[in-house]
Amino acid sequence: MKNLLHFITSACLCLWVGFNSTDEIKHSLQIIHKGISLTKPVICTLVEVTNDNALPHEFYMDVESVVCGDNQCKIDVVRIYWDELGRFNKLVLPKDVHLEKAEGISFTDKDYNKLNDILKNEDSPLQDVFKDEIVGTVGGEGVDAMSGETILLEKSAYVKGAVWTCYSLWHWVHGDIKQHIKDITGKSYSKQDLRLLLKQKDYQAFAIEQLTKKEGYSKQTAHVILNAIETDPSLLKSSLPYWENAPKSIYAFGSEELLSMLKPTNRMLFLTSILQTQQELSPDFFNQLTPLVSEFTYQEIDIFLNILKEKQMVTNNIIQSLVPLLKAENFIISRRAYYFLEGIDLSKENERKTSNFFEKWKDRL
Amino acid sequence: MTRRNMKRRKFFKKSVKGTLGASMIPLSGFSNPAEKTRTDYNSINTETPFGNTDPKQWHQMGSGKKPRPDRRKTVTYDVAVIGGGAAGMCAAISAARNGSKVVLIQDRPILGGNSSSEIRVHLNGVNHLRNGLPERETGIIEEILLHNRFHNPQDSYPVWDHVLYDFITKEENLDLKLNTTAIRAILSDDGTIKAAYCWQLTTETEFTIEANMFIDCSGDGLLGATAGALYRTGREASSEFNEKYAPNEADGWQMGSTVLLGSKDMGKPMPFEPPHFTLKYDAEKSHKERQLKPFELGFWWVELGSDEDIIGEFEDNKHKLLGYAYGVWDYMKNSGKFPETENYALDWVSSLPGKRESRRFIGDYILSEPDLIGNKQFDDAVAFGGWSLDEHNPGGIENLSEPPSYFHEDFEEPYQIPFRSLYSKNVPNLLFAGRNISQTHIALSSSRIMATCALEGQAVGTAAALCVKKKILPRTLGENHINDLQEQLIRDDAFIPNRPANDNTDLLKSAALIFGSSTSSGDAKLLKDGWSRDYHDKKHHWQSDGLPAHVQVEWEDRVSISKLEIKCDTNVKRNLMLRRDSLENDIYTTKIPKEMLQSLDIEARINGKWVNIKSIDKNKTRLIKFNFDTIETTAIRINLKSTYGAQHAKLFEVRCYS
Ligand SMILES: Cc1cc2nc3c(=O)[nH]c(=O)nc-3n(C[C@H](O)[C@H](O)[C@H](O)COP(=O)(O)OP(=O)(O)OC[C@H]3O[C@@H](n4cnc5c(N)ncnc54)[C@H](O)[C@@H]3O)c2cc1C
């Protein structure tokens, strides 16, 4: 039944009337709904449905089917269901309620299917639209007036004649509520539950986020997170707050591991987090990092050299890897290396190399 | 001067000196013509009971023995701007900033034209296109609106007047003459305007203002008209420019003037007795679009136009308009149909009707409806508009059965305004901006909106300064140097749709690399792509990921720089003009844009070391300019520290000049 819209089927009617309150927990929340106001939250009640283990299993909320932009809508109360991670499951209508399009025409099956597709689409064009952008407006000189004729969205984004319904429901489904659901679920799960979820696709970012909130720091947890990042490097970004706030030993371990599996696409992100972190990094870490300079772009070299300066981490070993950059093909890279080397104590040999560089390029420094 | 006033004057003079006494008695005698022949002035003089006042002076002026002080002055400027509305203010500022010595002549005691506290029209612009979103004007008009957000968070109209006064009078190279009317043009033999003859009401002074360039932003265009500049009034026939919304036959109809009013909830029932000149409002006969609610801020459709001499009829029409305005209010208060007005009372009624239309000068090009609707692309585009074709009904409030305006059509994207519509066809050194530009009645129905007028103002002010620099006339500037004009406008943060900047003197163009310390949207490379806003769904920005952040520019070779210019984000998709209702929603704000950069500094790498060049702690503009002594550098870094609330900093452009 998941991920299907349910309409006036007996099953869903049972749901509608048949909840027993023992496995339901009510949460009162303040939500921003783009169609209502960008600044004033709406107070609403989110209901958590728990499973036999008393863990959240799904959530639902009763909402008005439409925040009407042109005073021409029929408003019903409908129920939206999400799974435990805030992903849309289904929409349920009370008995005898039919969604309506313009001029009171009921939704057809095709319309319901289209609405289901629209609500499932996290990236719908509806997401960036403000309610004033939906229909063309014509302004008078005094107070601006609305005229509700032209709809400015691509056709796939709404059911014809029911643009306000689609807009309102999409923003209920994909608004602030998702984070609230994740946090409620995260709170009910133990660290061990979350570690297990780190192995399940689709749950990983959620698990990392909630482990950070729960301060779930252990070598074991760090391992599982690193494994997850290795298979999906895009998880690095969501893991950064985890490392940033970790105890020293976990950070030291994590940063070396992350470096060993670092992909070029993640380098800037990683280097930036190193520059900004208050955490301590070992000389070993830098010995491991330095050989990468030959592959670095200018920007990466720049930030790397800033890191060395900031963390006062200049060893002979590092200097040795930097000197060849004076001969880099890209002049601005060699100049950047020169500026760095020029300011530190160097061996005779390296001093000679930097002076040669200066002699050759002094007009461009 | 009355007797009493003279006494008062005397009193003040004396009290400064600390000597008060009987001296007031004989002095009062001097102003009495009956007594003056009997007085021996020499003897009075020897008594000297008059402090520092010479009693002879009063007598001699009164008797004609001494002439009235000769208050005639001839002053010379590079550029004279007539009219201190949105168009005139922007023209004056841009001409001054581009190196001309400028005078701004305004016949009222305050600046702002229709937006001033005397009239209180919202300074609208491209408030919303067909997609519902604004495409807000930048440049000088935005700077003014931002200035207002800093100095007038209370949204007061009288304070707005002084926000404008502050803005204009702090500009170097710009003299403001208030209460001064440009009465006529004095011409040279070659047909150019040599001077504007002006009268300053408050000082009884006749000014002859000589200048190289004259810009008529007065709306009514008296100076231009007396110079013999060609103009039109009324409506064109639809066949002339192929305008579908124009009438079949040309006629004299000009959209009207309006008296606005405002009311206030007094917290208790407030009776209203209409004054004797009230004209009854017949709501039954009125078209339903004459909306009576909201009623608090008056009714823009209380409007009277004319088929003939709208300027000559102004005072008579004003009397009627006051009658109509009070008539509508009487209907609200006393018809019994609006119980919600019970506690409301008028607390402001304008005494100066706001004007919409009169003369339209003829330039080398007449902008018309097909240009707007077809979004014609002009090689000499210098400004843009995008308010709907909002043509008010012929007859105004004396034609109740028609809707007060025909919103014929709104626009999908902004239309362009060409430079050729902004200078006179036959008076060689006359430029204009505002509602009097070279356009048809239908084009005016959209372009008359004040922020659009302001963009035209910035364009002609800049053009006039370039003409002065190059010693040429506007037509030659348009024909041979239009690129220079457009580049300067864009550099000064005016936006010309579909015309990206391409300034070869910008040293950023020769940079080897530009990058941001972090990126959450866009790309640092876009900071030199010539576009200063996202447009047509294309990004032209770089946005940091959090703050602080920096943008760094690297050159392969050393460059000499003395200017760095940045365009930051102020969200051009949100309107920020002063409004009487202080509207706050998704597309209007009363706040300082949260996206705008608040504090930043710039560093340059000189001999391998980063050196701080300049810092700004409280930035108030979208175009952020740094001027400094020339430095030799190979890299610069712009450190972005905070915004007025946004989490990330967004930039659109960085430029460097030697
Ligand atoms: C009630 C009303 C509602 C409107 N609604 C809007 C709206 O919502 N938004 C909007 O933007 N526009 C609106 N408009 C139109 C708009 O206000 C005008 O088209 C606009 O003000 C024209 O700008 P301007 O700078 O050309 O002239 P003005 O704003 O009229 O400024 C010209 C100034 O020049 C002065 N002047 C005139 N003659 C001389 C002279 N000989 N010497 C010296 N000074 C002189 C005038 O006193 C005036 O202050 C409205 C107009 C009215 C009347």
PDB file of all heavy atoms in Angstrom, chain B residues 218-246:
ATOM      1  N   SER B 218      11.054  67.814 -15.761  1.00  0.00           N
ATOM      2  CA  SER B 218      10.024  68.496 -14.984  1.00  0.00           C
ATOM      3  C   SER B 218       8.646  67.903 -15.206  1.00  0.00           C
ATOM      4  O   SER B 218       7.680  68.376 -14.643  1.00  0.00           O
ATOM      5  CB  SER B 218      10.006  69.975 -15.382  1.00  0.00           C
ATOM      6  OG  SER B 218       9.594  70.083 -16.728  1.00  0.00           O
ATOM      7  N   GLY B 219       8.529  66.881 -16.013  1.00  0.00           N
ATOM      8  CA  GLY B 219       7.202  66.342 -16.293  1.00  0.00           C
ATOM      9  C   GLY B 219       6.484  67.204 -17.304  1.00  0.00           C
ATOM     10  O   GLY B 219       6.286  66.799 -18.458  1.00  0.00           O
ATOM     11  N   ASP B 220       6.128  68.423 -16.944  1.00  0.00           N
ATOM     12  CA  ASP B 220       5.400  69.304 -17.855  1.00  0.00           C
ATOM     13  C   ASP B 220       6.293  69.881 -18.959  1.00  0.00           C
ATOM     14  O   ASP B 220       5.795  70.283 -20.016  1.00  0.00           O
ATOM     15  CB  ASP B 220       4.739  70.449 -17.084  1.00  0.00           C
ATOM     16  CG  ASP B 220       3.479  69.990 -16.358  1.00  0.00           C
ATOM     17  OD1 ASP B 220       2.997  68.883 -16.668  1.00  0.00           O
ATOM     18  OD2 ASP B 220       2.989  70.732 -15.486  1.00  0.00           O
ATOM     19  N   GLY B 221       7.576  69.989 -18.710  1.00  0.00           N
ATOM     20  CA  GLY B 221       8.507  70.367 -19.784  1.00  0.00           C
ATOM     21  C   GLY B 221       8.429  71.805 -20.255  1.00  0.00           C
ATOM     22  O   GLY B 221       8.567  72.080 -21.447  1.00  0.00           O
ATOM     23  N   LEU B 222       8.244  72.715 -19.316  1.00  0.00           N
ATOM     24  CA  LEU B 222       8.129  74.127 -19.712  1.00  0.00           C
ATOM     25  C   LEU B 222       9.418  74.648 -20.362  1.00  0.00           C
ATOM     26  O   LEU B 222       9.379  75.348 -21.374  1.00  0.00           O
ATOM     27  CB  LEU B 222       7.772  74.979 -18.474  1.00  0.00           C
ATOM     28  CG  LEU B 222       7.667  76.482 -18.694  1.00  0.00           C
ATOM     29  CD1 LEU B 222       6.601  76.819 -19.731  1.00  0.00           C
ATOM     30  CD2 LEU B 222       7.350  77.186 -17.376  1.00  0.00           C
ATOM     31  N   LEU B 223      10.551  74.288 -19.789  1.00  0.00           N
ATOM     32  CA  LEU B 223      11.814  74.800 -20.340  1.00  0.00           C
ATOM     33  C   LEU B 223      11.965  74.364 -21.800  1.00  0.00           C
ATOM     34  O   LEU B 223      12.225  75.176 -22.694  1.00  0.00           O
ATOM     35  CB  LEU B 223      13.015  74.302 -19.529  1.00  0.00           C
ATOM     36  CG  LEU B 223      14.325  74.828 -20.087  1.00  0.00           C
ATOM     37  CD1 LEU B 223      14.697  76.137 -19.433  1.00  0.00           C
ATOM     38  CD2 LEU B 223      15.445  73.820 -19.968  1.00  0.00           C
ATOM     39  N   GLY B 224      11.788  73.064 -22.020  1.00  0.00           N
ATOM     40  CA  GLY B 224      11.929  72.540 -23.377  1.00  0.00           C
ATOM     41  C   GLY B 224      10.934  73.191 -24.324  1.00  0.00           C
ATOM     42  O   GLY B 224      11.273  73.570 -25.453  1.00  0.00           O
ATOM     43  N   ALA B 225       9.696  73.351 -23.847  1.00  0.00           N
ATOM     44  CA  ALA B 225       8.664  73.929 -24.709  1.00  0.00           C
ATOM     45  C   ALA B 225       9.029  75.357 -25.104  1.00  0.00           C
ATOM     46  O   ALA B 225       8.876  75.753 -26.263  1.00  0.00           O
ATOM     47  CB  ALA B 225       7.311  73.890 -23.999  1.00  0.00           C
ATOM     48  N   THR B 226       9.538  76.135 -24.125  1.00  0.00           N
ATOM     49  CA  THR B 226       9.874  77.521 -24.465  1.00  0.00           C
ATOM     50  C   THR B 226      11.139  77.601 -25.325  1.00  0.00           C
ATOM     51  O   THR B 226      11.410  78.622 -25.939  1.00  0.00           O
ATOM     52  CB  THR B 226      10.083  78.391 -23.200  1.00  0.00           C
ATOM     53  OG1 THR B 226      11.110  77.797 -22.402  1.00  0.00           O
ATOM     54  CG2 THR B 226       8.814  78.516 -22.383  1.00  0.00           C
ATOM     55  N   ALA B 227      11.913  76.514 -25.353  1.00  0.00           N
ATOM     56  CA  ALA B 227      13.073  76.483 -26.254  1.00  0.00           C
ATOM     57  C   ALA B 227      12.637  76.113 -27.668  1.00  0.00           C
ATOM     58  O   ALA B 227      13.453  76.065 -28.589  1.00  0.00           O
ATOM     59  CB  ALA B 227      14.098  75.483 -25.752  1.00  0.00           C
ATOM     60  N   GLY B 228      11.367  75.813 -27.822  1.00  0.00           N
ATOM     61  CA  GLY B 228      10.865  75.444 -29.140  1.00  0.00           C
ATOM     62  C   GLY B 228      11.034  73.968 -29.460  1.00  0.00           C
ATOM     63  O   GLY B 228      10.910  73.552 -30.618  1.00  0.00           O
ATOM     64  N   ALA B 229      11.291  73.171 -28.434  1.00  0.00           N
ATOM     65  CA  ALA B 229      11.428  71.725 -28.686  1.00  0.00           C
ATOM     66  C   ALA B 229      10.065  71.179 -29.115  1.00  0.00           C
ATOM     67  O   ALA B 229       9.039  71.537 -28.552  1.00  0.00           O
ATOM     68  CB  ALA B 229      11.913  71.033 -27.422  1.00  0.00           C
ATOM     69  N   LEU B 230      10.094  70.313 -30.110  1.00  0.00           N
ATOM     70  CA  LEU B 230       8.834  69.727 -30.587  1.00  0.00           C
ATOM     71  C   LEU B 230       8.267  68.816 -29.516  1.00  0.00           C
ATOM     72  O   LEU B 230       9.006  68.103 -28.833  1.00  0.00           O
ATOM     73  CB  LEU B 230       9.100  68.910 -31.855  1.00  0.00           C
ATOM     74  CG  LEU B 230       9.597  69.705 -33.060  1.00  0.00           C
ATOM     75  CD1 LEU B 230      10.083  68.760 -34.149  1.00  0.00           C
ATOM     76  CD2 LEU B 230       8.467  70.591 -33.576  1.00  0.00           C
ATOM     77  N   TYR B 231       6.950  68.855 -29.376  1.00  0.00           N
ATOM     78  CA  TYR B 231       6.309  67.921 -28.443  1.00  0.00           C
ATOM     79  C   TYR B 231       4.917  67.600 -28.911  1.00  0.00           C
ATOM     80  O   TYR B 231       4.371  68.259 -29.805  1.00  0.00           O
ATOM     81  CB  TYR B 231       6.301  68.490 -27.019  1.00  0.00           C
ATOM     82  CG  TYR B 231       5.456  69.725 -26.811  1.00  0.00           C
ATOM     83  CD1 TYR B 231       4.079  69.620 -26.595  1.00  0.00           C
ATOM     84  CD2 TYR B 231       6.037  70.995 -26.802  1.00  0.00           C
ATOM     85  CE1 TYR B 231       3.314  70.764 -26.388  1.00  0.00           C
ATOM     86  CE2 TYR B 231       5.262  72.129 -26.593  1.00  0.00           C
ATOM     87  CZ  TYR B 231       3.900  72.017 -26.394  1.00  0.00           C
ATOM     88  OH  TYR B 231       3.135  73.126 -26.195  1.00  0.00           O
ATOM     89  N   ARG B 232       4.348  66.572 -28.290  1.00  0.00           N
ATOM     90  CA  ARG B 232       2.969  66.175 -28.557  1.00  0.00           C
ATOM     91  C   ARG B 232       2.199  66.144 -27.261  1.00  0.00           C
ATOM     92  O   ARG B 232       2.800  65.968 -26.196  1.00  0.00           O
ATOM     93  CB  ARG B 232       2.910  64.724 -29.052  1.00  0.00           C
ATOM     94  CG  ARG B 232       3.506  64.481 -30.376  1.00  0.00           C
ATOM     95  CD  ARG B 232       3.369  62.998 -30.712  1.00  0.00           C
ATOM     96  NE  ARG B 232       3.743  62.818 -32.112  1.00  0.00           N
ATOM     97  CZ  ARG B 232       3.260  61.875 -32.897  1.00  0.00           C
ATOM     98  NH1 ARG B 232       2.398  60.974 -32.425  1.00  0.00           N
ATOM     99  NH2 ARG B 232       3.632  61.794 -34.143  1.00  0.00           N
ATOM    100  N   THR B 233       0.861  66.228 -27.383  1.00  0.00           N
ATOM    101  CA  THR B 233       0.018  65.869 -26.242  1.00  0.00           C
ATOM    102  C   THR B 233      -1.113  65.019 -26.802  1.00  0.00           C
ATOM    103  O   THR B 233      -1.394  65.051 -28.001  1.00  0.00           O
ATOM    104  CB  THR B 233      -0.598  67.103 -25.546  1.00  0.00           C
ATOM    105  OG1 THR B 233      -1.346  67.834 -26.508  1.00  0.00           O
ATOM    106  CG2 THR B 233       0.469  68.001 -24.949  1.00  0.00           C
ATOM    107  N   GLY B 234      -1.756  64.252 -25.939  1.00  0.00           N
ATOM    108  CA  GLY B 234      -2.927  63.480 -26.370  1.00  0.00           C
ATOM    109  C   GLY B 234      -2.578  62.101 -26.887  1.00  0.00           C
ATOM    110  O   GLY B 234      -1.457  61.616 -26.730  1.00  0.00           O
ATOM    111  N   ARG B 235      -3.607  61.483 -27.519  1.00  0.00           N
ATOM    112  CA  ARG B 235      -3.459  60.079 -27.919  1.00  0.00           C
ATOM    113  C   ARG B 235      -3.234  59.968 -29.422  1.00  0.00           C
ATOM    114  O   ARG B 235      -3.935  60.595 -30.216  1.00  0.00           O
ATOM    115  CB  ARG B 235      -4.730  59.292 -27.577  1.00  0.00           C
ATOM    116  CG  ARG B 235      -5.085  59.340 -26.105  1.00  0.00           C
ATOM    117  CD  ARG B 235      -6.139  58.316 -25.766  1.00  0.00           C
ATOM    118  NE  ARG B 235      -7.478  58.694 -26.215  1.00  0.00           N
ATOM    119  CZ  ARG B 235      -8.576  57.998 -25.930  1.00  0.00           C
ATOM    120  NH1 ARG B 235      -8.491  56.881 -25.217  1.00  0.00           N
ATOM    121  NH2 ARG B 235      -9.749  58.397 -26.358  1.00  0.00           N
ATOM    122  N   GLU B 236      -2.310  59.127 -29.818  1.00  0.00           N
ATOM    123  CA  GLU B 236      -2.072  58.854 -31.227  1.00  0.00           C
ATOM    124  C   GLU B 236      -3.198  57.970 -31.781  1.00  0.00           C
ATOM    125  O   GLU B 236      -3.794  57.193 -31.033  1.00  0.00           O
ATOM    126  CB  GLU B 236      -0.743  58.093 -31.410  1.00  0.00           C
ATOM    127  CG  GLU B 236       0.503  58.932 -31.250  1.00  0.00           C
ATOM    128  CD  GLU B 236       0.861  59.257 -29.801  1.00  0.00           C
ATOM    129  OE1 GLU B 236       0.223  58.687 -28.897  1.00  0.00           O
ATOM    130  OE2 GLU B 236       1.759  60.093 -29.584  1.00  0.00           O
ATOM    131  N   ALA B 237      -3.424  58.044 -33.087  1.00  0.00           N
ATOM    132  CA  ALA B 237      -4.332  57.093 -33.732  1.00  0.00           C
ATOM    133  C   ALA B 237      -3.615  55.755 -33.828  1.00  0.00           C
ATOM    134  O   ALA B 237      -2.393  55.705 -33.993  1.00  0.00           O
ATOM    135  CB  ALA B 237      -4.683  57.587 -35.134  1.00  0.00           C
ATOM    136  N   SER B 238      -4.392  54.683 -33.724  1.00  0.00           N
ATOM    137  CA  SER B 238      -3.743  53.368 -33.670  1.00  0.00           C
ATOM    138  C   SER B 238      -2.937  53.085 -34.931  1.00  0.00           C
ATOM    139  O   SER B 238      -1.946  52.357 -34.902  1.00  0.00           O
ATOM    140  CB  SER B 238      -4.769  52.275 -33.421  1.00  0.00           C
ATOM    141  OG  SER B 238      -5.567  52.122 -34.554  1.00  0.00           O
ATOM    142  N   SER B 239      -3.359  53.692 -36.050  1.00  0.00           N
ATOM    143  CA  SER B 239      -2.655  53.400 -37.299  1.00  0.00           C
ATOM    144  C   SER B 239      -1.241  54.006 -37.329  1.00  0.00           C
ATOM    145  O   SER B 239      -0.361  53.491 -38.001  1.00  0.00           O
ATOM    146  CB  SER B 239      -3.452  53.955 -38.478  1.00  0.00           C
ATOM    147  OG  SER B 239      -3.674  55.338 -38.246  1.00  0.00           O
ATOM    148  N   GLU B 240      -1.011  55.054 -36.565  1.00  0.00           N
ATOM    149  CA  GLU B 240       0.269  55.755 -36.700  1.00  0.00           C
ATOM    150  C   GLU B 240       1.463  54.882 -36.313  1.00  0.00           C
ATOM    151  O   GLU B 240       2.486  54.865 -36.991  1.00  0.00           O
ATOM    152  CB  GLU B 240       0.275  57.055 -35.872  1.00  0.00           C
ATOM    153  CG  GLU B 240       1.539  57.854 -36.151  1.00  0.00           C
ATOM    154  CD  GLU B 240       1.606  59.190 -35.423  1.00  0.00           C
ATOM    155  OE1 GLU B 240       0.647  59.549 -34.702  1.00  0.00           O
ATOM    156  OE2 GLU B 240       2.631  59.872 -35.577  1.00  0.00           O
ATOM    157  N   PHE B 241       1.296  54.159 -35.212  1.00  0.00           N
ATOM    158  CA  PHE B 241       2.418  53.310 -34.776  1.00  0.00           C
ATOM    159  C   PHE B 241       2.012  51.845 -34.700  1.00  0.00           C
ATOM    160  O   PHE B 241       2.683  51.046 -34.066  1.00  0.00           O
ATOM    161  CB  PHE B 241       2.923  53.767 -33.407  1.00  0.00           C
ATOM    162  CG  PHE B 241       3.591  55.113 -33.422  1.00  0.00           C
ATOM    163  CD1 PHE B 241       2.862  56.271 -33.183  1.00  0.00           C
ATOM    164  CD2 PHE B 241       4.948  55.220 -33.713  1.00  0.00           C
ATOM    165  CE1 PHE B 241       3.472  57.511 -33.207  1.00  0.00           C
ATOM    166  CE2 PHE B 241       5.564  56.461 -33.734  1.00  0.00           C
ATOM    167  CZ  PHE B 241       4.831  57.613 -33.488  1.00  0.00           C
ATOM    168  N   ASN B 242       0.850  51.562 -35.307  1.00  0.00           N
ATOM    169  CA  ASN B 242       0.358  50.192 -35.251  1.00  0.00           C
ATOM    170  C   ASN B 242       0.131  49.753 -33.800  1.00  0.00           C
ATOM    171  O   ASN B 242       0.592  48.688 -33.382  1.00  0.00           O
ATOM    172  CB  ASN B 242       1.366  49.283 -35.967  1.00  0.00           C
ATOM    173  CG  ASN B 242       0.720  47.971 -36.325  1.00  0.00           C
ATOM    174  OD1 ASN B 242      -0.515  47.848 -36.324  1.00  0.00           O
ATOM    175  ND2 ASN B 242       1.546  46.965 -36.606  1.00  0.00           N
ATOM    176  N   GLU B 243      -0.571  50.579 -33.063  1.00  0.00           N
ATOM    177  CA  GLU B 243      -0.821  50.286 -31.648  1.00  0.00           C
ATOM    178  C   GLU B 243      -2.234  49.746 -31.483  1.00  0.00           C
ATOM    179  O   GLU B 243      -3.205  50.467 -31.738  1.00  0.00           O
ATOM    180  CB  GLU B 243      -0.656  51.560 -30.807  1.00  0.00           C
ATOM    181  CG  GLU B 243       0.765  52.101 -30.804  1.00  0.00           C
ATOM    182  CD  GLU B 243       0.919  53.324 -29.899  1.00  0.00           C
ATOM    183  OE1 GLU B 243       0.119  54.271 -30.040  1.00  0.00           O
ATOM    184  OE2 GLU B 243       1.830  53.308 -29.067  1.00  0.00           O
ATOM    185  N   LYS B 244      -2.367  48.514 -30.990  1.00  0.00           N
ATOM    186  CA  LYS B 244      -3.709  47.944 -30.909  1.00  0.00           C
ATOM    187  C   LYS B 244      -4.544  48.562 -29.795  1.00  0.00           C
ATOM    188  O   LYS B 244      -5.761  48.482 -29.812  1.00  0.00           O
ATOM    189  CB  LYS B 244      -3.661  46.423 -30.799  1.00  0.00           C
ATOM    190  CG  LYS B 244      -2.937  45.868 -29.613  1.00  0.00           C
ATOM    191  CD  LYS B 244      -2.965  44.329 -29.659  1.00  0.00           C
ATOM    192  CE  LYS B 244      -1.963  43.780 -28.648  1.00  0.00           C
ATOM    193  NZ  LYS B 244      -1.784  42.402 -28.615  1.00  0.00           N
ATOM    194  N   TYR B 245      -3.924  49.140 -28.801  1.00  0.00           N
ATOM    195  CA  TYR B 245      -4.701  49.711 -27.707  1.00  0.00           C
ATOM    196  C   TYR B 245      -4.986  51.207 -27.884  1.00  0.00           C
ATOM    197  O   TYR B 245      -5.629  51.826 -27.039  1.00  0.00           O
ATOM    198  CB  TYR B 245      -3.998  49.465 -26.375  1.00  0.00           C
ATOM    199  CG  TYR B 245      -3.830  47.993 -26.083  1.00  0.00           C
ATOM    200  CD1 TYR B 245      -2.571  47.427 -25.933  1.00  0.00           C
ATOM    201  CD2 TYR B 245      -4.944  47.157 -25.999  1.00  0.00           C
ATOM    202  CE1 TYR B 245      -2.419  46.067 -25.687  1.00  0.00           C
ATOM    203  CE2 TYR B 245      -4.809  45.798 -25.758  1.00  0.00           C
ATOM    204  CZ  TYR B 245      -3.538  45.263 -25.601  1.00  0.00           C
ATOM    205  OH  TYR B 245      -3.397  43.924 -25.366  1.00  0.00           O
ATOM    206  N   ALA B 246      -4.490  51.795 -28.972  1.00  0.00           N
ATOM    207  CA  ALA B 246      -4.736  53.222 -29.210  1.00  0.00           C
ATOM    208  C   ALA B 246      -6.099  53.379 -29.900  1.00  0.00           C
ATOM    209  O   ALA B 246      -6.599  52.447 -30.530  1.00  0.00           O
ATOM    210  CB  ALA B 246      -3.628  53.787 -30.078  1.00  0.00           C
TER     211      ALA B 246
END
